[in-house]
Short mmCIF file of all heavy atoms in Angstrom, two decimals:
data_model
loop_
_atom_site.label_atom_id
_atom_site.label_comp_id
_atom_site.label_asym_id
_atom_site.label_seq_id
_atom_site.Cartn_x
_atom_site.Cartn_y
_atom_site.Cartn_z
N ASP A 1 -22.99 -26.15 -19.96
CA ASP A 1 -23.95 -25.27 -20.62
C ASP A 1 -23.23 -24.34 -21.59
O ASP A 1 -22.28 -23.63 -21.20
CB ASP A 1 -24.72 -24.45 -19.58
CG ASP A 1 -25.73 -23.52 -20.21
OD1 ASP A 1 -26.80 -23.99 -20.63
OD2 ASP A 1 -25.42 -22.31 -20.29
N GLU A 2 -23.67 -24.33 -22.86
CA GLU A 2 -22.97 -23.55 -23.88
C GLU A 2 -22.93 -22.06 -23.57
O GLU A 2 -21.90 -21.39 -23.71
CB GLU A 2 -23.62 -23.74 -25.26
CG GLU A 2 -23.68 -25.18 -25.74
CD GLU A 2 -25.02 -25.81 -25.47
OE1 GLU A 2 -25.31 -26.08 -24.29
OE2 GLU A 2 -25.78 -26.01 -26.43
N SER A 3 -24.07 -21.51 -23.16
CA SER A 3 -24.14 -20.08 -22.87
C SER A 3 -23.23 -19.70 -21.71
O SER A 3 -22.47 -18.73 -21.80
CB SER A 3 -25.59 -19.68 -22.55
OG SER A 3 -25.65 -18.31 -22.20
N GLU A 4 -23.29 -20.47 -20.65
CA GLU A 4 -22.42 -20.19 -19.51
C GLU A 4 -20.96 -20.29 -19.89
O GLU A 4 -20.12 -19.47 -19.47
CB GLU A 4 -22.71 -21.16 -18.36
CG GLU A 4 -21.85 -20.90 -17.13
CD GLU A 4 -22.04 -21.93 -16.03
OE1 GLU A 4 -22.92 -22.81 -16.18
OE2 GLU A 4 -21.28 -21.87 -15.04
N ALA A 5 -20.62 -21.29 -20.70
CA ALA A 5 -19.23 -21.47 -21.12
C ALA A 5 -18.73 -20.27 -21.91
O ALA A 5 -17.61 -19.80 -21.70
CB ALA A 5 -19.09 -22.75 -21.95
N MET A 6 -19.55 -19.75 -22.83
CA MET A 6 -19.13 -18.60 -23.63
C MET A 6 -18.90 -17.38 -22.74
O MET A 6 -17.93 -16.63 -22.90
CB MET A 6 -20.16 -18.29 -24.71
CG MET A 6 -20.34 -19.39 -25.76
SD MET A 6 -18.81 -19.98 -26.51
CE MET A 6 -18.66 -21.61 -25.76
N HIS A 7 -19.80 -17.17 -21.77
CA HIS A 7 -19.63 -16.05 -20.84
C HIS A 7 -18.36 -16.23 -20.01
O HIS A 7 -17.63 -15.26 -19.78
CB HIS A 7 -20.85 -15.95 -19.92
CG HIS A 7 -22.01 -15.23 -20.53
ND1 HIS A 7 -22.19 -13.86 -20.43
CD2 HIS A 7 -23.05 -15.69 -21.27
CE1 HIS A 7 -23.29 -13.51 -21.07
NE2 HIS A 7 -23.84 -14.60 -21.60
N ARG A 8 -18.09 -17.46 -19.59
CA ARG A 8 -16.90 -17.70 -18.77
C ARG A 8 -15.61 -17.49 -19.58
O ARG A 8 -14.62 -16.99 -19.04
CB ARG A 8 -16.95 -19.12 -18.20
CG ARG A 8 -18.10 -19.37 -17.23
CD ARG A 8 -17.75 -18.96 -15.82
NE ARG A 8 -16.78 -19.85 -15.22
CZ ARG A 8 -17.09 -20.98 -14.59
NH1 ARG A 8 -18.35 -21.37 -14.49
NH2 ARG A 8 -16.14 -21.72 -14.05
N ILE A 9 -15.61 -17.88 -20.86
CA ILE A 9 -14.43 -17.65 -21.70
C ILE A 9 -14.18 -16.15 -21.85
O ILE A 9 -13.04 -15.68 -21.75
CB ILE A 9 -14.61 -18.31 -23.09
CG1 ILE A 9 -14.64 -19.83 -22.96
CG2 ILE A 9 -13.47 -17.89 -24.03
CD1 ILE A 9 -15.01 -20.54 -24.24
N VAL A 10 -15.25 -15.40 -22.07
CA VAL A 10 -15.12 -13.95 -22.19
C VAL A 10 -14.58 -13.36 -20.88
O VAL A 10 -13.71 -12.48 -20.89
CB VAL A 10 -16.46 -13.30 -22.59
CG1 VAL A 10 -16.39 -11.78 -22.48
CG2 VAL A 10 -16.84 -13.70 -24.00
N ASP A 11 -15.08 -13.86 -19.76
CA ASP A 11 -14.56 -13.39 -18.46
C ASP A 11 -13.06 -13.65 -18.35
O ASP A 11 -12.30 -12.79 -17.87
CB ASP A 11 -15.28 -14.12 -17.32
CG ASP A 11 -16.72 -13.65 -17.14
OD1 ASP A 11 -17.06 -12.55 -17.61
OD2 ASP A 11 -17.51 -14.41 -16.54
N ARG A 12 -12.62 -14.83 -18.80
CA ARG A 12 -11.20 -15.15 -18.72
C ARG A 12 -10.38 -14.26 -19.65
O ARG A 12 -9.24 -13.90 -19.32
CB ARG A 12 -10.95 -16.63 -19.06
CG ARG A 12 -11.57 -17.64 -18.13
CD ARG A 12 -11.41 -17.31 -16.65
NE ARG A 12 -10.04 -17.21 -16.20
CZ ARG A 12 -9.38 -18.18 -15.59
NH1 ARG A 12 -9.96 -19.34 -15.38
NH2 ARG A 12 -8.14 -17.99 -15.19
N LEU A 13 -10.94 -13.91 -20.80
CA LEU A 13 -10.24 -12.99 -21.71
C LEU A 13 -10.05 -11.62 -21.06
O LEU A 13 -8.97 -11.02 -21.14
CB LEU A 13 -11.00 -12.86 -23.02
CG LEU A 13 -10.81 -14.01 -24.02
CD1 LEU A 13 -11.84 -13.93 -25.14
CD2 LEU A 13 -9.40 -13.99 -24.61
N PHE A 14 -11.10 -11.12 -20.40
CA PHE A 14 -10.98 -9.82 -19.74
C PHE A 14 -10.01 -9.90 -18.56
O PHE A 14 -9.24 -8.95 -18.31
CB PHE A 14 -12.36 -9.33 -19.29
CG PHE A 14 -13.11 -8.61 -20.37
CD1 PHE A 14 -14.12 -9.24 -21.06
CD2 PHE A 14 -12.78 -7.30 -20.72
CE1 PHE A 14 -14.82 -8.58 -22.08
CE2 PHE A 14 -13.46 -6.64 -21.72
CZ PHE A 14 -14.49 -7.27 -22.41
N GLU A 15 -10.01 -11.00 -17.83
CA GLU A 15 -9.04 -11.18 -16.75
C GLU A 15 -7.62 -11.19 -17.30
O GLU A 15 -6.70 -10.63 -16.69
CB GLU A 15 -9.32 -12.48 -16.00
CG GLU A 15 -10.60 -12.46 -15.17
CD GLU A 15 -10.98 -13.84 -14.66
OE1 GLU A 15 -10.13 -14.77 -14.75
OE2 GLU A 15 -12.11 -14.01 -14.18
N ALA A 16 -7.43 -11.85 -18.45
CA ALA A 16 -6.10 -11.90 -19.06
C ALA A 16 -5.65 -10.51 -19.50
O ALA A 16 -4.48 -10.14 -19.31
CB ALA A 16 -6.12 -12.85 -20.26
N LEU A 17 -6.55 -9.74 -20.08
CA LEU A 17 -6.21 -8.37 -20.47
C LEU A 17 -5.81 -7.54 -19.26
O LEU A 17 -4.80 -6.83 -19.27
CB LEU A 17 -7.40 -7.71 -21.18
CG LEU A 17 -7.71 -8.20 -22.60
CD1 LEU A 17 -9.05 -7.65 -23.06
CD2 LEU A 17 -6.60 -7.80 -23.58
N SER A 18 -6.59 -7.65 -18.18
CA SER A 18 -6.32 -6.87 -16.98
C SER A 18 -5.00 -7.26 -16.32
O SER A 18 -4.36 -6.43 -15.66
CB SER A 18 -7.46 -7.05 -15.97
OG SER A 18 -8.69 -6.58 -16.50
N ALA A 19 -4.58 -8.52 -16.50
CA ALA A 19 -3.35 -9.01 -15.87
C ALA A 19 -2.13 -8.87 -16.76
O ALA A 19 -1.01 -9.18 -16.33
CB ALA A 19 -3.52 -10.48 -15.48
N SER A 20 -2.30 -8.39 -17.98
CA SER A 20 -1.19 -8.29 -18.93
C SER A 20 -0.11 -7.34 -18.41
O SER A 20 -0.40 -6.36 -17.71
CB SER A 20 -1.69 -7.80 -20.29
OG SER A 20 -0.60 -7.57 -21.16
N LYS A 21 1.13 -7.63 -18.76
CA LYS A 21 2.24 -6.74 -18.40
C LYS A 21 2.31 -5.52 -19.32
O LYS A 21 3.07 -4.59 -19.04
CB LYS A 21 3.56 -7.52 -18.45
CG LYS A 21 3.67 -8.60 -17.39
CD LYS A 21 5.00 -9.31 -17.44
CE LYS A 21 5.09 -10.38 -16.35
NZ LYS A 21 6.38 -11.10 -16.37
N LEU A 22 1.52 -5.54 -20.40
CA LEU A 22 1.50 -4.41 -21.33
C LEU A 22 0.38 -3.44 -20.95
O LEU A 22 -0.78 -3.83 -20.83
CB LEU A 22 1.28 -4.90 -22.76
CG LEU A 22 2.39 -5.73 -23.40
CD1 LEU A 22 2.03 -6.04 -24.84
CD2 LEU A 22 3.73 -5.00 -23.34
N GLU A 23 0.73 -2.19 -20.80
CA GLU A 23 -0.26 -1.18 -20.42
C GLU A 23 -1.37 -1.07 -21.47
O GLU A 23 -2.55 -0.88 -21.14
CB GLU A 23 0.42 0.18 -20.23
CG GLU A 23 -0.53 1.27 -19.75
CD GLU A 23 0.17 2.59 -19.54
OE1 GLU A 23 1.39 2.67 -19.81
OE2 GLU A 23 -0.49 3.56 -19.13
N THR A 24 -1.00 -1.22 -22.75
CA THR A 24 -1.99 -1.12 -23.82
C THR A 24 -3.09 -2.17 -23.65
O THR A 24 -4.27 -1.87 -23.80
CB THR A 24 -1.32 -1.30 -25.19
OG1 THR A 24 -0.35 -0.27 -25.38
CG2 THR A 24 -2.34 -1.23 -26.32
N LEU A 25 -2.70 -3.40 -23.33
CA LEU A 25 -3.69 -4.46 -23.15
C LEU A 25 -4.47 -4.29 -21.85
O LEU A 25 -5.67 -4.59 -21.81
CB LEU A 25 -3.02 -5.83 -23.20
CG LEU A 25 -2.37 -6.21 -24.54
CD1 LEU A 25 -1.82 -7.63 -24.49
CD2 LEU A 25 -3.35 -6.07 -25.69
N ARG A 26 -3.82 -3.82 -20.81
CA ARG A 26 -4.54 -3.57 -19.55
C ARG A 26 -5.61 -2.49 -19.75
O ARG A 26 -6.73 -2.62 -19.27
CB ARG A 26 -3.57 -3.15 -18.44
CG ARG A 26 -2.66 -4.26 -17.96
CD ARG A 26 -2.04 -3.91 -16.61
NE ARG A 26 -1.33 -2.64 -16.64
CZ ARG A 26 -0.06 -2.50 -16.99
NH1 ARG A 26 0.64 -3.55 -17.38
NH2 ARG A 26 0.53 -1.31 -16.98
N ASN A 27 -5.26 -1.44 -20.47
CA ASN A 27 -6.22 -0.37 -20.73
C ASN A 27 -7.39 -0.86 -21.57
O ASN A 27 -8.51 -0.38 -21.45
CB ASN A 27 -5.54 0.81 -21.42
CG ASN A 27 -4.57 1.54 -20.51
OD1 ASN A 27 -4.66 1.43 -19.28
ND2 ASN A 27 -3.63 2.27 -21.10
N LEU A 28 -7.09 -1.82 -22.45
CA LEU A 28 -8.12 -2.34 -23.34
C LEU A 28 -9.28 -2.97 -22.57
O LEU A 28 -10.43 -2.92 -23.01
CB LEU A 28 -7.49 -3.36 -24.29
CG LEU A 28 -8.33 -3.85 -25.46
CD1 LEU A 28 -8.75 -2.68 -26.35
CD2 LEU A 28 -7.55 -4.87 -26.28
N ALA A 29 -8.96 -3.54 -21.40
CA ALA A 29 -10.00 -4.19 -20.60
C ALA A 29 -11.07 -3.22 -20.14
O ALA A 29 -12.22 -3.61 -19.92
CB ALA A 29 -9.37 -4.87 -19.38
#
């Protein structure tokens, strides 16, 4: 499903930001 896929990609982007070793990117989440 296209809509679900787009939401899931965004979720993965936020997970990646939160897991970053850079404080700047973690804060961005």
Side-chain angles (χ1 to χ4, degrees):
D1 180 77
E2 302 98 288
S3 177
E4 181 185 354
M6 296 309 108
H7 278 271
R8 295 275 289 274
I9 293 171
V10 170
D11 288 340
R12 297 316 300 262
L13 281 167
F14 275 102
E15 290 169 12
L17 288 169
S18 299
S20 173
K21 293 182 179 180
L22 293 184
E23 184 179 2
T24 299
L25 295 184
R26 291 197 305 273
N27 291 340
L28 190 59

